[in-house]
Amino acid sequence: MAKAKETENLMETLVTLCKRRGIIFQSSEIYSGINGFYDYGPLGVEMRRNIKNAWWQDFVHRRDDIVGLDSTIIHHPTTWKASGHIDNFTDPLVDCKVSKQRYRADQLFFAPIVIDGATAGYVSAIESEDTEQALQSAAEKFKRRKGIQGSLEAVTPRDMTEATAEEIALIPSPATGEPGSLTPPRSFNMMFQTHVGALRDESSVAYLRPETAQGIFINYKNIVDTGRVKLPFGIAQIGKAFRNEINPRNFIFRSREFEQMEIEYFISPEADWQKIHREWIDQSRRWFTGIGIDDALLSEYEHPREKLSHYSKGTIDIMFKFPFGVQELQGIAARGDYDLTQHQEVSGKSMEYFDEASRKRFIPHVIEPSMGVDRILLAILCAAYREEEVEGEKRVYLRLSPRIAPVKVAVLPLVKNKPELVEMARKLYGNLQRRHAVFYDESGAVGRRYRRQDEIGTPWCATVDFDSLESGTFTVRDRDTMEQSRMNETDFMAMIDGNLT
Ligand code: GAP
């Protein structure tokens, strides 16, 4: 069995594969691209839809306690005052006055270069998979370049949010290598602003939503009043979110326009929120493994109290082992009654829920599982990529879950110059096409056609051959094992259906 590729150039390999096979493109490429924005090509759009459909099916259609919502991207601007985003949705920004580069202070690391107990200078590095090693190498290089004798201590990295004013003056900019050009960190609000209507003044300012969650909170009352929901219940939403990230990076991992899938799960203030929080974490991990992300690549990270978001009582992130390090895939926050209380206070509208059983009125608390579609797609691609040697040749395949694979079946007539055979293949293709995303390919040697499908993760290839004309069956080749078996159309359809639920 082929193993997941573990080399550090996996990201490069995936970016190239995504471009070559029409999965993901840099946005506005003909104008040299725009940083932090990506477009999804014919296969990418299918994969994204499959992720969203699987989530909607599993968390909305197949549950009695969760309903859906589709709110606007632009809300009344007061929403963001009430939610705390205008005041708190900020990242610490550091400028390099010489190069005009901008850095997130918590991603820009530095360390003093200590030789024989005395500080000889400073080194800096942008956060990477091994920041400490990068700083250590820079310190060694500094010592060599300056010809300083003595023993160099191991570096102790800190990030720029912890630097004193004296240190900031001495830390070199990663862009120029020279000290003196970095500014102290300042708060930078990540919301994109726009104006609504013809006027362009303070009164017309509005924001592109930085999360889909607030659309749920401002509709909570509508849903309670009309949805016949009873606590505990959830509201789910999928939609675009926008963040003016200081440093978008790692392909679609951190972009400026992305899509979120969020649930606000409302519970009684008296419920055991820690228990429900844990249940959501476990369910989410199971969901990830169900769509093809090996649990061994997942882990959990509990946010320390002092670093919690402004709304959170406790947050646990589900982390994924990306090639560039272990990073957040999904955040599961216990938001208490923060948001509904804020909206009640600012709007003057009651957000209370009347509980018939206890005859009590209260503002519900909420658990929020929140994830990004694009980030999950990247995790799926990283987890699925396989290379192996077959008969002296490299075989590349994506071990995608059939639910996520952009093409479910490729129909291949063995040869294209035998009309009955082509007719039979076309008929099979037509029947499959009514139910699934399928692909018809009659060009080139059948081995080459298999490889093309392997590379985009098509789980099955159905080859119509000479025997098919006699028996009515065709060859079904499994992507992962490359094993072939003969099947008729009814059995094949049933097998596909069984793998897509
Ligand atoms: N409503 C809570 C919230 O938005 P978050 O941790 O800021 O929490 C939730 O975001 C998820 O959205 C993250 O776990 C990640 O999957 C995704 N996400 C956040 N920022 C992103 C970005 N710049 N690019 C891609 N995905 C992002």
Side-chain angles (χ1 to χ4, degrees):
M1 179 69 61
K3 299 249 306 178
K5 193 175 180 180
E6 284 195 10
T7 56
E8 72 274 15
N9 65 7
L10 174 59
M11 281 304 292
E12 229 170 86
T13 308
L14 283 176
V15 173
T16 312
L17 174 72
C18 283
K19 166 133 205 238
R20 190 162 44 78
R21 296 308 309 264
I23 301 173
I24 303 166
F25 308 120
Q26 169 70 61
S27 173
S28 317
E29 207 180 339
I30 59 165
Y31 295 109
S32 315
I34 171 164
N35 197 9
F37 296 86
Y38 291 91
D39 295 336
Y40 289 82
L43 297 178
V45 71
E46 293 293 335
M47 292 181 75
R48 266 166 77 91
R49 268 169 197 254
N50 292 342
I51 294 170
K52 291 187 278 183
N53 288 346
W55 186 81
W56 198 260
Q57 231 170 22
D58 294 341
F59 288 101
V60 182
H61 289 174
R62 290 179 180 165
R63 291 180 65 129
D64 296 330
D65 58 346
I66 300 185
V67 294
L69 174 77
D70 191 0
S71 72
T72 54
I73 285 172
I74 293 178
H75 305 329
H76 190 290
T78 309
T79 307
W80 306 111
K81 186 71 198 158
S83 68
H85 282 78
I86 289 180
D87 296 326
N88 299 314
F89 195 62
T90 57
D91 268 345
L93 170 72
V94 169
D95 283 294
C96 168
K97 288 180 286 187
V98 172
S99 68
K100 308 293 175 214
Q101 291 288 322
R102 301 186 129 184
Y103 303 99
R104 244 176 76 173
D106 56 338
Q107 293 174 351
L108 180 51
F109 282 77
F110 72 96
I113 305 163
V114 183
I115 302 173
D116 286 342
T119 300
Y122 283 81
V123 281
S124 65
I126 300 166
E127 187 183 30
S128 67
E129 214 183 326
D130 203 345
T131 314
E132 195 165 334
Q133 185 52 49
L135 289 170
Q136 188 66 41
S137 308
E140 281 159 17
K141 205 164 145 200
F142 175 94
K143 181 172 173 265
R144 270 199 310 278
R145 204 179 60 234
K146 299 270 178 187
I148 307 175
Q149 301 300 312
S151 125
L152 176 68
E153 283 182 20
V155 294
T156 315
R158 280 148 66 206
D159 74 44
M160 286 290 284
T161 59
E162 300 165 5
T164 63
E166 292 79 51
E167 285 173 325
I168 290 170
L170 299 171
I171 296 167
S173 157
T176 63
E178 296 298 327
S181 65
L182 295 178
T183 63
R186 65 187 165 87
S187 289
F188 170 79
N189 195 297
M190 287 196 290
M191 283 195 292
F192 279 101
Q193 271 192 19
T194 185
H195 291 266
V196 173
L199 270 182
R200 284 195 158 253
D201 62 13
E202 275 303 301
S203 71
S204 64
V205 168
Y207 303 92
L208 304 192
R209 66 181 176 202
E211 61 171 17
T212 58
Q214 294 306 320
I216 298 181
F217 292 120
I218 60 175
N219 277 287
Y220 155 83
K221 194 108 198 73
N222 286 333
I223 290 179
V224 169
D225 291 347
T226 59
R228 288 186 297 174
V229 285
K230 274 208 171 107
L231 283 186
F233 72 90
I235 304 176
Q237 171 156 235
I238 300 179
K240 288 270 184 169
F242 302 82
R243 296 183 187 179
N244 198 1
E245 296 281 355
I246 296 169
N247 195 4
R249 57 183 181 160
N250 293 325
F251 198 30
I252 53 170
F253 174 80
R254 187 181 304 288
S255 49
R256 290 180 164 138
E257 175 176 339
F258 55 100
E259 202 157 15
Q260 286 189 315
M261 306 196 286
E262 296 196 291
I263 295 171
E264 301 303 330
Y265 195 72
F266 298 97
I267 57 174
S268 156
E270 282 162 18
D272 182 349
W273 71 263
Q274 273 108 336
K275 181 168 168 270
I276 302 169
H277 192 216
R278 183 74 245 167
E279 282 164 7
W280 270 104
I281 297 160
D282 295 342
Q283 280 178 52
S284 297
R285 284 185 78 144
R286 281 199 298 277
W287 190 73
F288 286 130
T289 52
I291 57 162
I293 300 177
D294 187 351
D295 195 62
L297 298 170
L298 300 175
S299 53
E300 289 171 25
Y301 168 74
E302 183 167 358
H303 288 221
R305 253 194 180 278
E306 65 283 5
K307 291 207 170 164
L308 286 175
S309 307
H310 61 277
Y311 49 72
S312 175
K313 292 205 310 184
T315 299
I316 290 190
D317 290 339
I318 298 186
M319 312 291 281
F320 176 79
K321 192 169 180 272
F322 287 99
F324 43 85
V326 173
Q327 296 280 345
E328 172 186 345
L329 189 56
Q330 176 181 30
I332 304 182
R335 288 176 90 125
D337 58 1
Y338 173 83
D339 301 87
L340 289 182
T341 304
Q342 284 294 110
H343 287 302
Q344 172 169 286
E345 270 173 26
V346 178
S347 70
K349 308 271 170 16
S350 169
M351 296 291 156
E352 282 184 340
Y353 174 88
F354 178 66
D355 185 51
E356 305 221 352
S358 63
R359 313 297 294 166
K360 283 188 189 162
R361 279 184 193 283
F362 51 78
I363 294 184
H365 286 214
V366 76
I367 303 288
E368 178 196 66
S370 165
M371 54 178 135
V373 178
D374 315 74
R375 207 172 273 190
I376 292 166
L377 175 50
L378 182 59
I380 288 175
L381 289 170
C382 293
Y385 188 88
R386 296 286 189 282
E387 277 179 11
E388 65 182 7
E389 213 179 278
V390 179
E391 291 159 11
E393 270 186 42
K394 183 167 93 172
R395 175 172 98 104
V396 169
Y397 68 106
L398 293 183
R399 207 161 188 272
L400 297 174
S401 142
R403 278 180 101 183
I404 305 301
V407 175
K408 310 298 180 205
V409 180
V411 179
L412 321 172
L414 187 64
V415 291
K416 62 177 177 188
N417 55 3
K418 183 117 177 115
E420 310 95 282
L421 206 142
V422 168
E423 193 188 327
M424 189 176 165
R426 284 242 165 237
K427 189 156 169 266
L428 174 65
Y429 171 64
N431 291 346
L432 284 163
Q433 204 178 26
R434 264 185 249 139
R435 299 166 62 167
H436 306 291
V438 290
F439 188 75
Y440 180 85
D441 186 6
E442 57 180 27
S443 60
V446 77
R448 294 253 320 270
R449 283 182 269 167
Y450 285 153
R451 295 287 186 272
R452 287 204 286 264
Q453 295 306 315
D454 286 344
E455 214 183 31
I456 58 165
T458 305
W460 305 285
C461 288
T463 307
V464 177
D465 52 23
F466 295 103
D467 275 1
S468 307
L469 299 175
E470 301 288 312
S471 63
T473 62
F474 43 85
T475 302
V476 175
R477 173 193 180 264
D478 181 279
R479 174 199 63 203
D480 302 339
T481 61
M482 293 188 290
E483 273 166 21
Q484 305 195 4
S485 53
R486 291 202 78 83
M487 279 195 191
N488 63 30
E489 195 174 312
T490 313
D491 292 345
F492 187 44
M493 292 281 192
M495 191 272 279
I496 299 170
D497 285 348
N499 276 282
L500 292 181
T501 49

